[in-house]
Amino acid sequence: MEIRYTQASDIADLKDILDQTSLFPSAKLEGMLTSFLDGDTEDLWLTCENGGKAIGFCHAAPNEMVDGAWCMPAIAILPKYQRKGVGRALAEQMEAELAEQSAHAMQVDTSAGESFSGARQFFENAGYTLEARTSASCNRMSYKKALA
């Protein structure tokens, strides 16, 4: 298992991950990745590969409202590799990359819905603390973790 910066050659595998996890529509991926691949953004994209195939990815972006704080809008792992440490390894590598850049905090938003209980448990197990829960109509929960 290797974690590295995402490359254009990963797109097909990452779309497959999105199709299997339904995190967001895979058709949006290329547009989201373009500025990173072109070097035109501070956003970071990491890919975890196993045997030459991408099995997971993590995306982080600076929080434009708080200097030194970052958001993790996406982390996804192929279902057959979930609960095997891949997500934790990706999150920890992302946190280390950002800490090297003097980032001080990572924020993650997820749904409060029952189908996202696994995601909430993942973030809690990874040391994220529940910071806020929005109104029932939005049904969102915000987690935060201090970075080294």
Side-chain angles (χ1 to χ4, degrees):
M1 183 171 78
E2 176 190 1
I3 297 173
R4 55 169 174 70
Y5 291 114
T6 300
Q7 303 165 0
S9 59
D10 296 322
I11 291 174
D13 285 346
L14 300 187
K15 284 183 172 185
D16 183 46
I17 293 166
L18 289 169
D19 290 340
Q20 290 191 45
T21 61
S22 302
L23 180 64
F24 59 83
S26 62
K28 293 184 175 188
L29 181 67
E30 288 183 65
M32 294 173 69
L33 266 171
T34 299
S35 59
F36 171 76
L37 295 173
D38 291 343
D40 295 333
T41 183
E42 292 182 73
D43 288 21
L44 289 178
W45 287 79
L46 297 179
T47 294
C48 181
E49 71 172 36
N50 187 33
K53 179 175 174 49
I55 61 171
F57 71 89
C58 185
H59 171 218
N63 180 332
E64 296 181 16
M65 303 290 284
V66 182
D67 193 35
W70 285 66
C71 303
M72 186 189 304
I75 184 168
I77 313 301
L78 280 173
K80 75 178 193 176
Y81 290 97
Q82 291 176 3
R83 294 177 177 74
K84 297 184 179 184
V86 176
R88 173 164 250 166
L90 269 167
E92 288 176 352
Q93 182 63 38
M94 183 64 80
E95 293 160 5
E97 295 273 343
L98 296 175
E100 286 179 19
Q101 296 181 30
S102 300
H104 62 78
M106 176 76 83
Q107 179 182 345
V108 178
D109 291 334
T110 189
S111 173
E114 184 57 36
S115 64
F116 284 83
S117 63
R120 293 190 303 274
Q121 189 65 49
F122 168 81
F123 290 116
E124 290 167 8
N125 289 343
Y128 286 77
T129 304
L130 181 62
E131 291 285 308
R133 182 174 182 160
T134 60
S135 67
S137 62
C138 290
N139 209 25
R140 304 290 299 166
M141 297 178 80
S142 293
Y143 289 85
K144 185 176 178 182
K145 182 177 184 178
L147 303 178

